Amino acid sequence: RNTGAQAEVGGGSFGTSFGGGGVSVSTRQASVYAGAHLLSSRGDYSFRSDNGTAFDPSDDRDLSRQNNALLQGDGTVRATVSLPAGRKLSVSALGFFRSQGLPGFGTRQTRFTTLEVGRAITSVAYDSSSDLGPTSKLHLHFYYSFEQQRFRDAFSEISILPTLTRDRSDSFGSNFHFSRRLAWFVRLAGVVELRYEQIAPRDAFKTPPQAPIATRLFVGTGAEVDFWWARLRLHVIPSLRLEVSRDARIDVARNGAVTADSAALLQALPLGRLAFVEEATAWLTLRANVARYERLPSSSELYGNSGFLLGNTKLEPEAGYNADLGGTIRLRKSWFAVVVEPTLFASFVDNLIQFQEVANGRARALNLGRARVLGVELALQLEMTRFARLLAQATFTDARDVSDTSIGRLGPQLPLRPRFHLYARPEVHNLRLGKQITAGAYLEFDFTDEDYVDPANFAKLPARFLLGAGVYADALQRRLQVIASAQNLTDARVFDVAGFPLPSRAFFVSLRVKTEKEKEQ
C-alpha cells in the first residue's frame, strides 16, 4: 500500500545470521513489491544425551548438535494493477532455496547427510466486484509450482542403503471463487478448483535411476448459501462440496525400489457442513459448526520428503465428523479492552492418517482404524492501560485411539498429541524514552504436557516448559527498530519429538530500518 524501502539485519547464537529487505512502489493505479531474505546458522547447540541408555542417567552427558548447518534464501516479486469498475489484476513470483545438514537421531549423529530443497511458484489472479452484479465478488487464480529435493546419504547414516535422490514435483492449478447477494437475506457462494500434480523420483544409486512418475488429477467444486434471519440476528450457512481425484501412484519398496501401480485410483469424496453464527449483541458472537469430511493423503504422506519422513503409497483417505461450539466476547472501556474466545471441539475419524515412528527416528504415515478427539480451547487478548497487554491461549485435547485393534491399554492416547498446551505473552509497550524513542518488553511462556511416541503409550516424552523474553526500541517515528530476544532462558534440555532435541539457550539481536511514503488517497 505504501512507497518505500525496508531492511533487516541480525544474528545471534549458534552462528546464526540473517538479513533481508524489500522495496515497494505504490500509485493510484498500480503497486509493485520486491524483496529477498537470507538466513544461515551452524545450528551447533548443546543437548543432553542419554548415551543410548534411557534408564541409566549415570552416563548422560552434554553434546553439541552435529551436521545441523542451514543456509536458506527466498525472493518475492508481486505486482497489482487496478482496472476500471472495481477490477484488479495481480501477478506474483516466489523463489525459495534451503540447504541443510540432517543431524542424526538420538545419540547417533551424522556427518555428511544433507537435504536441499528448491521451490518456485508463479501465479496470476483476477478480482472483480462488478462482473457478476453490483453485490458480487469474483476471484480467478492460476498458478504453477515447481519443487526439487536432493537427499544425499552416501554412507547410509540415515537410510538403510546408500541414497542419492533428486525428486521433482510439478503442480498446475486454477481456482474460481464467486459470491453474490440474491436478496437482502441470502448470499450464494461457489468454488471450482482444478489441479494437476506429478512427482518424478530419481535415485542415482538405483538401476535405472529414473523411476516411474506419480500423478494426481484433482477437481473440486462446492456451493454455500448464507441465510440471514434478521429477528434472531442469525446466519444459517449450509455448504456442500465434492472432490474427485485420479491418482496414478508409484510403489516404493523397503529396499528403495520404485514401481508403478497397475491401475489408476479414482476417488470421489463428498463433504458437507452446516454452520450457525449469531450476532447476539454488539459484544457477543456465538458460532457452531457440524461437518462431515474426507481428506486425501498428501504427496508427502504418500511419497515422503526423503530423510526421516518415509512415504506410504497404500494410504486411504481419512473420513469423519467434526463439530465445534464457541463464541467471541469483546469488551472495551477507555484504555481497557478484552477479547475472549472459548471453543469446544470434537472429531470422530475413520482411517485417521497418523505419522508413527518406525525405526531410528524415521516416521511413516499410517491409517489408524478409528480415532476420537475431544477438546476445549480458550484464547485471550487483554489491553490494560495504554502500556500493558496480554496474549494467552490454553488448549486441552483428549485424542484417543478407539479402534478395535488399538494396541496396549484401552483407548491409548494418540502419539504426538499432548493433552495440555499453554502459552502466554505479557508485554509492556509504548514506553517513552525521550521525545523520539519508544520501547517495550515481553515475556513468553510455553508449556506442553507430557506426550507419547508410540501407539501403545509405552515410550513417553516428558512435559516441557520454555521461557523467552525480549526488549525492543523504536525511533524516528518507528522507522528504526532494534530488537533483542532470548529463547529457552532456563536452558531446558527438552524435545518435541523423541531423539530430536530443541535448541538450548539462545540470544538474537536484529536491526530494522524502513522508509515509507504514505499512499495518496
Side-chain angles (χ1 to χ4, degrees), residues 59-311:
D59 61 353
D60 292 0
R61 54 179 177 158
D62 288 332
L63 299 176
S64 293
R65 201 74 162 133
Q66 295 181 5
N67 193 31
N68 198 32
L70 168 74
L71 177 63
Q72 176 177 302
D74 67 77
T76 305
V77 177
R78 294 196 301 266
T80 300
V81 178
S82 297
L83 303 174
R87 300 178 176 92
K88 182 176 67 174
L89 184 66
S90 305
V91 296
S92 67
L94 179 144
F96 172 88
F97 174 78
R98 176 190 292 158
S99 177
Q100 65 184 98
L102 287 183
F105 166 76
T107 59
R108 184 183 177 184
Q109 301 216 62
T110 65
R111 297 180 60 190
F112 307 106
T113 307
T114 61
L115 178 66
E116 294 180 356
V117 178
R119 184 180 302 125
I121 303 172
T122 60
S123 71
V124 178
Y126 171 79
D127 292 273
S128 170
S129 57
S130 60
D131 286 351
L132 300 180
T135 60
S136 68
K137 292 183 179 180
L138 172 65
H139 176 74
L140 293 172
H141 182 211
F142 303 90
Y143 65 89
Y144 165 70
S145 68
F146 160 84
E147 179 175 291
Q148 182 167 273
Q149 292 189 123
R150 293 175 179 263
F151 172 60
R152 296 179 176 91
D153 187 12
F155 299 98
S156 303
E157 294 179 306
I158 294 176
S159 306
I160 298 175
L161 299 173
T163 304
L164 180 57
T165 65
R166 187 182 66 192
D167 300 337
R168 171 172 173 160
S169 303
D170 295 88
S171 179
F172 307 83
S174 64
N175 302 315
F176 168 65
H177 298 257
F178 75 89
S179 67
R180 182 178 179 181
R181 186 172 299 282
L182 303 180
W184 66 268
F185 61 92
V186 59
R187 173 176 284 273
L188 173 67
V191 60
V192 177
E193 299 180 33
L194 302 172
R195 185 173 70 250
Y196 175 78
E197 302 172 344
Q198 68 176 31
I199 299 176
R202 179 184 178 90
D203 191 338
F205 287 152
K206 299 293 187 301
T207 303
Q210 184 69 51
I213 296 177
T215 64
R216 169 177 287 177
L217 179 61
F218 173 89
V219 179
T221 182
E224 178 177 277
V225 184
D226 183 350
F227 295 100
W228 169 243
W229 192 345
R231 178 174 295 182
L232 297 180
R233 301 179 59 83
L234 176 67
H235 292 270
V236 180
I237 312 172
S239 62
L240 294 173
R241 181 178 171 91
L242 178 65
E243 297 181 351
V244 179
S245 68
R246 182 186 184 276
D247 284 9
R249 296 184 181 180
I250 55 177
D251 186 40
V252 183
R254 291 186 179 274
N255 63 359
V258 180
T259 57
D261 280 358
S262 57
L265 180 62
L266 184 65
Q267 300 179 95
L269 309 181
L271 301 88
R273 186 188 72 157
L274 181 60
F276 301 90
V277 179
E278 183 178 16
E279 301 171 6
T281 67
W283 54 269
L284 175 63
T285 301
L286 302 174
R287 65 182 183 274
N289 292 275
V290 60
R292 199 273 181 188
Y293 84 99
E294 293 191 50
R295 183 179 75 84
L296 292 167
S298 67
S299 58
S300 61
E301 292 166 339
L302 288 171
Y303 307 112
N305 69 347
S306 302
F308 290 104
L309 189 60
L310 305 177

Side-chain angles (χ1 to χ4, degrees), residues 78 154 180-181 287 350 352 403 432 435 443 493 497:
R78 294 196 301 266
R180 182 178 179 181
R181 186 172 299 282
R287 65 182 183 274
D350 292 321
L352 175 71
S403 57
R432 285 286 182 180
K435 294 183 178 181
L443 290 173
R493 305 305 169 93
V497 181

